[in-house]
């Protein structure tokens, strides 16, 4: 086995139990030759830990239980524990394709000045008459270099990656932002804006994608918009 990964994948989870297994399985099925997956578990019980025991013999997986709360905090824990120069994030209700980490690494190699990347996030199968799944899709690759460009590029954290050292150097993720935080969203947009403010670029690419299974009913849409707007 390789001594150090060139890419770390991170899943931040809280009280998902068995549903987190699908996300973990999809990442461990990636064809990248040197990656490591870190699961940051903020659950209030051991259900998720028990569900993930089936992977305990896979040396590519590191499981970290923490009593902290908040997505911004969890992302920073993963970022600090990562051993690779690139760190890819997805959510515990998502699935990724086998080429996900390889494409992310290739995209960063093409853009040495990029510190943040967003890929497409596609909605999983669902009944549109009953509700929706948050998603983000763009048809063409773009490299955002200024705030005006970022106004037109609004990738989401379910399909996000960063260069570890530059992002740590600008302070990592804002721990007041993200699900479970004081402002329960926008830690993804914030890190992109701060990267641009420090002279780094942001990639948005349709070259790979994430499938999001986070279904919400239409009745919950108003609250979802309120939470998103607050962040």
């Amino acid at each position: 086995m390789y001594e150090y990964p060139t890419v770390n994948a991170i899943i931040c989870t809280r009280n998902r139990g068995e549903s987190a297994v699908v996300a973990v399985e999809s990442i461990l099925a990636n064809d990248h030759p040197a990656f490591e997956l870190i699961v940051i578990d903020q659950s209030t019980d051991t259900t998720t830990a028990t569900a993930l025991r089936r992977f305990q013999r896979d040396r590519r997986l590191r499981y970290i239980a923490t009593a902290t709360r908040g997505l911004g905090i969890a992302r920073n824990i993963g970022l600090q524990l990562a051993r690779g120069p690139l760190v890819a994030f997805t959510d515990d209700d998502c699935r990724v394709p086998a080429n996900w980490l390889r494409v992310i690494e290739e995209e960063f190699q093409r853009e040495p000045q990029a510190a943040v990347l967003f890929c497409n996030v596609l909605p999983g199968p669902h009944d549109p008459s009953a509700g929706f799944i948050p998603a983000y899709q763009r048809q063409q690759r773009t490299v955002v270099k200024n705030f005006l460009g970022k106004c037109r590029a609004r990738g989401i954290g379910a399909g996000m990656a960063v260069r570890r050292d530059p992002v740590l150097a600008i302070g990592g993720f804002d721990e007041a932002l993200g699900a479970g935080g004081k402002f329960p969203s926008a830690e993804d947009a914030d890190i992109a804006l701060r990267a641009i403010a420090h002279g780094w670029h942001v990639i948005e690419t349709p070259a790979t994608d994430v499938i999001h299974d986070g279904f919400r009913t239409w009745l919950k849409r108003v609250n979802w918009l309120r939470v998103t707007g607050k962040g």
Side-chain angles (χ1 to χ4, degrees):
M1 185 179 175
Y2 50 85
E3 185 175 358
Y4 287 102
T6 60
V7 181
N8 272 95
I10 294 177
I11 297 172
C12 302
T13 189
R14 179 180 171 84
N15 296 336
R16 285 287 185 177
E18 281 287 337
S19 65
V21 168
V22 175
V24 170
E25 283 180 333
S26 72
I27 291 178
L28 293 179
N30 260 239
D31 58 16
H32 190 284
F35 76 91
E36 180 180 59
L37 168 60
I38 304 175
V39 175
I40 307 299
D41 185 8
Q42 295 180 316
S43 296
T44 57
D45 57 34
T46 60
T47 305
T48 303
T50 300
L52 296 182
R53 281 178 189 164
R54 69 194 70 183
F55 304 110
Q56 61 187 355
R57 293 186 179 181
D58 194 322
R59 295 174 60 195
R60 299 172 300 172
L61 173 63
R62 294 168 66 191
Y63 170 82
I64 307 296
T66 170
T68 60
R69 176 172 177 151
L71 185 53
I73 294 172
R75 291 201 194 281
N76 279 339
I77 292 172
L79 198 60
Q80 290 157 5
L81 291 174
R83 300 187 298 161
L86 302 177
V87 181
F89 294 91
T90 193
D91 292 346
D92 56 8
D93 55 359
C94 292
R95 295 168 281 134
V96 305
N99 71 350
W100 189 59
L101 294 174
R102 178 167 49 81
V103 171
I104 285 172
E105 186 172 57
E106 291 170 354
E107 289 283 348
F108 275 116
Q109 288 171 346
R110 289 178 61 186
E111 300 291 341
Q113 194 57 29
V116 180
L117 174 148
F118 295 100
C119 68
N120 281 355
V121 177
L122 310 179
H126 67 288
D127 179 0
S129 67
F132 71 105
I133 295 177
Y136 179 80
Q137 299 179 54
R138 68 176 310 122
Q139 300 303 314
Q140 295 183 330
R141 182 181 188 273
T142 187
V143 178
V144 181
K145 302 179 181 180
N146 52 51
F147 293 142
L148 180 61
K150 185 64 181 72
C151 290
R152 303 187 185 98
R154 308 187 66 179
I156 59 178
M160 174 177 63
V162 303
R163 289 191 195 272
R164 180 180 183 273
D165 289 348
V167 168
L168 284 175
I170 65 175
F173 291 89
D174 188 327
E175 297 188 351
L177 299 176
K182 181 178 180 180
F183 302 99
S185 68
E187 84 294 339
D188 42 9
D190 174 77
I191 200 66
L193 287 168
R194 286 194 289 118
I196 292 170
H198 284 81
W200 292 93
H201 299 163
V202 175
I203 302 168
E204 292 214 338
T205 178
T208 189
D209 50 53
V210 167
I211 306 298
H212 188 198
D213 292 315
F215 178 80
R216 280 97 162 155
T217 65
W218 289 117
L219 288 175
K220 293 182 178 180
R221 187 172 188 269
V222 172
N223 183 63
W224 177 76
L225 289 171
R226 185 183 298 115
V227 166
T228 301
K230 185 178 180 181

